[in-house]
Amino acid sequence: MKTVFTGGIVVSSYGCRRLDVLVEDEKIAALGNDLDATAARIVDAAGCYLLPGFIDAHTHLELNNGRTDTADNFTTGSIAAVCKGTTTVIDMATPERGHTLKECLAKWNRMAEGKSSCDYNYHMSLIEFNEAVAKEIPEMVAAGVTSFKMYMAYDNLRTTDAELYEAMKAIQKVGGMLGVHCENGDLVNALQAQFLREGKTAPKYHPLSRPNALEAEAVNRYLMIANEAGLAVNIVHLSTREALEVVLRARENGQKVFVETCPQYLLLDDHLYDSPDFEGAKYVCAPPLRSIQDQQALWQGVIHGAIDTISTDHCDFNFASQKTLGKNDFTQIPGGLPGVETRAELLYTAGVATGKISIEQFVALLSENIARQFHLYPQKGVLAVGSDADIVLWDPNANGVITAQTQLQHVDYSAYEGFQTVGFAKAVYLRGKAISENGRLLKGQQGKFVFRKIPEGK
Ligand code: DUC
Ligand code: ZN
Ligand code: ZN
């Protein structure tokens, strides 16, 4: 089966070119201006950018947080992703205490296989670290899972600093990638307890219990430990000016540090926690939304390349039936925001359409840099000969409005209700197959596990 995409502008981090793209079966076979289109189906991409499918390197599509399940699961969350241009997700696989990594991997495969409408892989979470877990690290890599996740907050997930250090050494040995949730968990606990003792139970105390310093301190500690272990590391969902300053200092000292932020930290701010009628609960996530000054610092980081990737931390709970679990105690509000569906539209609107970032940076932040960092490149993250034909026909002039009513995410609210958007994934192809058109699913559940391989010498 041959398809030629004609008349579009192909974008990578290096630049834009008017090129036709020939797809044969699942792969890109050629790019050029005089391609042989005999016996090929023609897709007219005039007026559109041809972008590599977006990759979301931070989702919790199907998770039980100990009390309740996310509103989405792999079936619904991946439809929301792919219909708006995200063709691959790297989901956070999180084991239950006492379970092996292999058991966790099997569980995540059961949840995703035959259900996901986009391609997928996982970051394997290490919620403890001992000899048995150390033995499983190379086994995960052999199974195609090359990245790991650890936590410095949340009592049910976090490890000690010594465990973090030992895990880093084990990951370093196999050339894997580690991402860490950086907040000082002890201090979060202390501040939460203090507010509750004082009878301060409303959502507005959520950000006050997780101030900027707690993230910056954890980032600093994490990077110091990583430097001792000699491991290049990733910081997930970085949200503050102070933490970014810590990263810049470490980089000046020669350390290799990757930084991810999320749309919510670039577009929403902490005044939303003061919303009436418990509406502030909609925005409870960790780290919390921050100040306008933090937002500005993060935008500078995005513009000047200090921030490498933008993923979503999609982890959604219904407002009416789940966020209300914390009606009388903000610490019981399930944390997380919906977002896998809206990342590209939001970033195009607030970044590219405003002139803050170029279309090349947009592609780098949402696809190419993620593929490079997480061992998916050049299979994913680029439109090049031999790459998977994950193609987004991006209409830069389409206008839209984000509303919960029309969203595909299986949740009862949007954190971006009423946001007007520019730019839209007019059509999405996954490994050469048309998966969505005008935001609607054509054929679902075509997603596959993407086996990742660490390049030699890494
Ligand atoms: N914070 C996390 O660290 N994970 C899921 C959701 C959230 O808000
Ligand atoms: Zn986190
Ligand atoms: Zn997360």
Side-chain angles (χ1 to χ4, degrees):
M1 172 72 172
K2 281 190 190 182
T3 309
V4 179
F5 295 78
T6 61
I9 296 175
V10 173
V11 185
S12 77
S13 70
Y14 297 107
C16 289
R17 280 181 70 190
R18 245 284 294 116
L19 289 172
D20 297 338
V21 180
L22 170 66
V23 170
E24 275 189 46
D25 301 322
E26 298 202 339
K27 301 283 182 188
I28 293 175
L31 299 111
N33 288 311
D34 49 5
L35 300 178
D36 176 10
T38 325
R41 182 170 53 127
I42 307 287
V43 175
D44 181 5
C48 287
Y49 289 118
L50 292 172
L51 309 181
F54 309 129
I55 304 166
D56 193 333
H58 191 157
T59 63
H60 305 265
L61 288 187
E62 186 165 344
L63 183 77
N64 182 291
N65 73 353
R67 275 189 91 189
T68 187
D69 294 309
T70 46
D72 270 306
N73 55 30
F74 260 96
T75 302
T76 60
S78 66
I79 291 173
V82 82
C83 285
K84 304 299 171 74
T86 294
T87 49
T88 305
V89 296
I90 312 180
D91 200 70
M92 297 292 172
T94 312
E96 286 163 51
R97 198 157 286 281
H99 285 204
T100 64
L101 303 188
K102 254 196 277 353
E103 285 167 327
C104 178
L105 178 58
K107 178 175 173 187
W108 249 255
N109 279 333
R110 274 196 304 278
M111 293 194 305
E113 263 169 21
K115 304 205 178 89
S116 185
S117 290
C118 60
D119 282 357
Y120 55 90
N121 196 308
Y122 323 111
H123 305 289
M124 182 52 65
S125 299
L126 310 175
I127 64 166
E128 58 186 342
F129 199 79
N130 51 40
E131 271 181 35
V133 179
K135 277 209 195 93
E136 285 202 281
I137 298 278
E139 291 169 19
M140 288 298 111
V141 173
V145 175
T146 61
S147 54
F148 301 87
K149 167 88 183 285
M150 295 181 81
Y151 292 84
M152 297 171 87
Y154 299 123
D155 289 347
N156 56 337
L157 299 174
R158 67 182 166 138
T159 61
T160 64
D161 290 346
E163 287 173 286
L164 184 57
Y165 175 65
E166 294 298 337
M168 284 174 178
K169 288 197 294 184
I171 293 167
Q172 205 267 344
K173 251 193 222 156
V174 295
M177 174 58 57
L178 174 66
V180 165
H181 175 121
C182 297
E183 286 184 296
N184 182 318
D186 277 347
L187 266 85
V188 171
N189 291 347
L191 288 170
Q192 286 183 335
Q194 182 188 316
F195 283 122
L196 294 182
R197 268 197 313 274
E198 292 167 358
K200 295 171 175 168
T201 60
K204 69 177 179 187
Y205 296 104
H206 168 70
L208 300 178
S209 71
R210 310 180 94 102
N212 289 26
L214 272 55
E215 182 183 72
E217 185 281 327
V219 166
N220 188 54
R221 183 159 34 104
Y222 172 44
L223 295 186
M224 293 277 176
I225 298 169
N227 204 31
E228 283 302 306
L231 181 68
V233 287
N234 185 35
I235 298 163
V236 301
H237 53 43
L238 183 133
S239 67
T240 59
R241 177 178 60 80
E242 292 88 336
L244 193 55
E245 283 168 1
V246 172
V247 170
L248 297 181
R249 216 166 43 234
R251 285 181 179 155
E252 267 169 33
N253 291 333
Q255 215 173 329
K256 181 77 187 156
V257 184
F258 295 94
V259 173
E260 168 200 277
T261 194
C262 311
Q264 55 269 33
Y265 303 117
L266 293 164
L267 296 166
L268 305 174
D269 68 79
D270 55 4
H271 86 269
L272 289 163
Y273 293 115
D274 297 327
S275 307
D277 301 328
F278 196 63
E279 294 257 329
K282 290 179 176 174
Y283 309 97
V284 166
C285 58
L289 303 181
R290 303 296 191 179
S291 69
I292 300 280
Q293 290 73 30
D294 290 300
Q295 257 186 33
Q296 287 167 346
L298 294 184
W299 270 114
Q300 288 306 309
V302 167
I303 291 164
H304 298 294
I307 291 174
D308 302 284
T309 61
I310 300 175
S311 288
T312 65
D313 202 7
H314 176 94
C315 184
D316 58 359
F317 297 98
N318 287 306
F319 176 60
S321 56
Q322 295 182 292
K323 291 282 186 180
T324 41
L325 290 168
K327 195 90 193 164
N328 302 312
D329 173 353
F330 70 89
T331 68
Q332 300 303 311
I333 300 169
L337 298 188
V340 77
E341 182 172 348
T342 47
R343 176 182 56 148
E345 292 161 26
L346 289 170
L347 262 295
Y348 192 87
T349 304
V352 185
T354 59
K356 280 196 181 83
I357 59 171
S358 64
I359 185 73
E360 290 89 348
Q361 284 175 296
F362 177 75
V363 164
L365 289 157
L366 271 63
S367 184
E368 186 176 317
N369 290 355
I370 298 174
R372 287 182 188 277
Q373 186 181 339
F374 293 109
H375 317 119
L376 288 164
Y377 191 90
Q379 183 181 351
K380 307 282 189 191
V382 64
L383 301 183
V385 174
S387 299
D388 282 358
D390 298 345
I391 302 176
V392 178
L393 267 71
W394 187 264
D395 178 350
N397 298 312
N399 293 301
V401 181
I402 295 176
T403 71
Q405 239 188 358
T406 56
Q407 73 184 352
L408 298 166
Q409 293 168 155
H410 198 243
V411 63
D412 66 355
Y413 78 100
S414 169
Y416 305 97
E417 188 65 38
F419 270 49
Q420 307 218 341
T421 58
V422 184
F424 186 63
K426 192 174 157 188
V428 181
Y429 291 75
L430 176 67
R431 285 177 281 100
K433 284 200 198 84
I435 295 294
S436 89
E437 228 170 63
N438 295 318
R440 286 186 200 291
L441 189 71
L442 298 173
K443 191 158 195 288
Q445 301 185 323
Q446 307 283 303
K448 277 192 190 158
F449 178 82
V450 197
F451 193 98
R452 292 187 283 154
K453 215 167 166 218
I454 298 168
E456 296 283 327
K458 266 219 142 184

